[in-house]
Amino acid sequence: MPTDPAPATTAHPGQRPGAGRFAPSPSGDLHLGNLRTALLAWLFARSTGREFLMRVEDLDRVKKGAAERQLEDLAAIGLGWDPPVVWQSQRLARYETAIARLTEADLTYECFCTRKEIQQAVTAPHGPMGAYPGTCRNLTESERQRWRDEGRSAALRLRADRTEFTVTDLLLGEYRGAVDDLVLRRGDGTPAYNLAVVVDDADQGIDQVVRGDDLLPSTPRQAYLATLLGLPVPAYAHVPLVLNTSGQRLAKRDGAVTLRDRTALGESPRHVLSALAASLGYDGATTSADVLERFRPENLPKEPWRLDPDGLLQPSWCP
Ligand code: GLU
């Protein structure tokens, strides 16, 4: 896969430049909203002299061949990354090491609740809305054994010692949000996203996380987990999502919204990059390098981009 030409680095000699990243879930082709977030992550990283790393989050929701197609599409619109691509499915031992560390510190417990039971349970008093109510937090060993004998599989949860945590976002400022006894390993044995993302960001030396603002509510949990594991908390920038004409989050059903849909309509990857650039206020940019030259994070639109796939490309944007 192509990488960018050597980025101008702002780091001092001998100092690691830090890294940003894009971490798609390979559940299908990236749509224009995903590509726009990837462009922003690339711009934040490259404009600050950071590496730009790619991580395929393939612990679940995997569609065969989707990861390769996603990487091809990112490269096609000019978003190069620094190798190697990291695949979460190859890192299971790392997640187990982190879980073992938390378990040794008495910060985990087995949870036998089904999803339905959790939904039906009243949220714990003083706990955040929708938080795990703590049903299995203080089970005795014989109670746990009873559940096992009944054939229930156990998820592993974090024993959180607080209900809120504050993070700082480069675009949104301070954000205080809920922390609960989040799942670390699911009942089927799969490491949970919130754990994997924290372990991976630290292992990859990622100190800048740029992603869609739908993930903002998960961020206090992840930052808290990082501190429990003794890992640095990255700088965050949560960027507005792309919405459809009815104001809902853009989805595949909204029409010709993937790069491949657009190229089937006769547009080139450059056209698509131009449209993404224009949505960020950079009209007339036709390559990622053009956008990088003009990129100023403080001038980014604060509102979501409302996209009508039928009217995507205005003639003035077309190179
Ligand atoms: N894999 C997640 C997604 O595609 C993104 C996770 C992250 O950026 O932290 O929604």
Side-chain angles (χ1 to χ4, degrees):
M1 281 292 169
T3 56
D4 296 324
T9 178
T10 55
H12 299 295
Q15 193 183 320
R16 281 196 69 187
R21 47 79 154 178
F22 187 59
S25 300
S27 54
D29 287 345
L30 298 170
H31 61 51
L32 295 165
N34 309 130
L35 292 173
R36 187 177 186 255
T37 300
L39 171 61
L40 282 165
W42 181 89
L43 288 167
F44 271 90
R46 292 303 192 210
S47 66
T48 52
R50 285 179 165 81
E51 292 186 332
F52 184 60
L53 305 179
M54 198 58 70
R55 181 169 73 237
V56 178
E57 302 212 321
D58 60 343
L59 291 180
D60 60 0
R61 294 191 294 144
V62 176
K63 190 167 162 196
K64 202 166 178 294
E68 290 76 8
R69 288 164 66 94
Q70 293 180 337
L71 296 177
E72 274 171 33
D73 291 355
L74 292 164
I77 61 164
L79 306 184
W81 56 88
D82 297 285
V85 174
V86 165
W87 298 71
Q88 286 190 325
S89 56
Q90 295 174 5
R91 293 178 40 77
L92 300 179
R94 287 294 302 146
Y95 310 134
E96 284 307 321
T97 303
I99 288 174
R101 190 160 169 193
L102 294 167
T103 300
E104 275 156 28
D106 199 23
L107 287 172
T108 66
Y109 64 90
E110 285 179 289
C111 169
F112 298 88
C113 295
T114 62
R115 194 170 293 212
K116 197 160 164 213
E117 285 166 347
I118 295 172
Q119 274 161 5
Q120 283 168 353
V122 187
T123 297
H126 316 300
M129 280 299 290
Y132 177 66
T135 321
C136 293
R137 197 173 223 253
N138 297 312
L139 294 183
T140 62
E141 181 48 32
S142 67
E143 286 169 326
R144 283 197 288 268
Q145 195 51 51
R146 219 175 50 231
W147 285 123
R148 287 186 205 116
D149 292 345
E150 280 189 23
R152 288 224 188 172
S153 57
L156 198 71
R157 285 185 181 274
L158 179 72
R159 190 181 293 281
D161 70 356
R162 64 194 65 200
T163 55
E164 286 188 320
F165 198 77
T166 302
V167 293
T168 305
D169 186 282
L170 294 171
L171 299 173
L172 306 170
E174 286 218 333
Y175 175 80
R176 191 167 179 77
V179 164
D180 67 351
D181 287 358
L182 53 108
V183 172
L184 301 168
R185 190 204 293 121
R186 301 190 326 214
D188 65 2
T190 310
Y193 156 70
N194 280 316
L195 173 81
V197 82
V198 167
V199 172
D200 290 341
D201 283 342
D203 279 359
Q204 290 184 270
I206 287 160
D207 64 350
Q208 181 193 63
V209 169
V210 177
R211 57 187 181 185
D213 63 12
D214 54 328
L215 286 166
L216 184 63
S218 302
T219 307
R221 288 181 174 84
Q222 294 171 11
Y224 171 61
L225 189 53
T227 56
L228 288 181
L229 285 164
L231 302 173
V233 175
Y236 295 104
H238 287 88
V239 300
L241 293 181
V242 177
L243 305 181
N244 65 17
T245 46
S246 353
Q248 290 147 343
R249 191 195 298 197
L250 189 72
K252 302 274 161 57
R253 62 178 171 278
D254 290 318
V257 294
T258 67
L259 181 63
R260 286 155 205 263
D261 294 338
R262 304 310 303 183
T263 48
L265 293 173
E267 295 163 4
S268 69
R270 264 170 104 89
H271 283 104
V272 171
L273 190 274
S274 291
L276 298 177
S279 81
L280 297 172
Y282 302 110
D283 288 68
T286 62
T287 66
S288 57
D290 287 346
V291 191
L292 180 57
E293 213 164 280
R294 292 163 59 187
F295 180 62
R296 297 283 173 279
E298 58 279 13
N299 296 339
L300 283 177
K302 306 252 181 306
E303 299 301 316
W305 182 33
R306 287 212 179 213
L307 174 67
D308 176 3
D310 295 333
L312 177 62
L313 292 176
Q314 304 299 319
S316 66
W317 297 346
C318 294

